Amino acid sequence: QRRVRDTNMDNIVDQEMAATASAVNEAAARIQEMQNNSRQKYSGIELEVSEKILGSCTDLMSSVRELIISSAALQKEIVVGSQKLTIEGKQGTTNLGGSAT
C-alpha cells in the first residue's frame, strides 16, 4: 500500500514538474515574442530599456528552467533513496553508513 502511495506521489510530482516546465517554456516564448514586437515598435532609449527588461526576464526564465531540472533530479534521488530505505527496512538490514562486521 505504501508503494502504491509512493508511486502516486511520484506521478503527481512528475505531472506538476512537467506542467511547471511547460508554463516556463510558454513564458519564454511570450517574452521572445514581446522582444520581437519591441524591436519593431521602439527605437533609441525605449528599445534599449525594453531590451534590458525583456533580457532580464529571459535570464530569469533560464534560471527557473535550470531550477526545475535540478528539482526533478533531486526528487528522483529522494524517491530512490526512500525506496532503498524501505526495502532495507523490510529486510531488516538498514545500515546507515556503518559497515557490518
Side-chain angles (χ1 to χ4, degrees):
Q1 187 177 17
R2 180 181 167 110
R3 178 68 187 133
V4 171
R5 202 171 344 145
D6 287 348
T7 301
N8 288 340
M9 184 58 90
D10 294 346
N11 290 337
I12 290 168
V13 171
D14 286 344
Q15 290 170 0
E16 290 298 321
M17 295 294 250
T20 302
S22 178
V24 168
N25 288 335
E26 288 175 25
R30 179 71 179 119
I31 290 168
Q32 183 62 48
E33 183 182 318
M34 290 169 67
Q35 274 185 314
N36 292 338
N37 290 340
S38 290
R39 289 180 186 130
Q40 292 173 1
K41 274 182 163 178
Y42 302 118
S43 63
I45 193 74
E46 290 175 321
L47 178 59
E48 187 178 334
V49 169
S50 179
E51 288 284 320
K52 286 184 179 186
I53 291 170
L54 294 173
S56 294
C57 292
T58 299
D59 292 345
L60 177 61
M61 290 298 106
S62 293
S63 296
V64 169
R65 191 177 290 127
E66 289 176 30
L67 180 61
I68 291 169
I69 291 167
S70 296
S71 296
L74 179 59
Q75 186 261 339
K76 288 183 191 312
E77 286 180 33
I78 290 169
V79 169
V80 168
S82 173
Q83 290 170 348
K84 210 171 164 182
L85 285 174
T86 300
I87 290 168
E88 289 173 354
K90 286 181 180 178
Q91 295 173 347
T93 59
T94 304
N95 185 352
L96 299 176
S99 60
T101 54

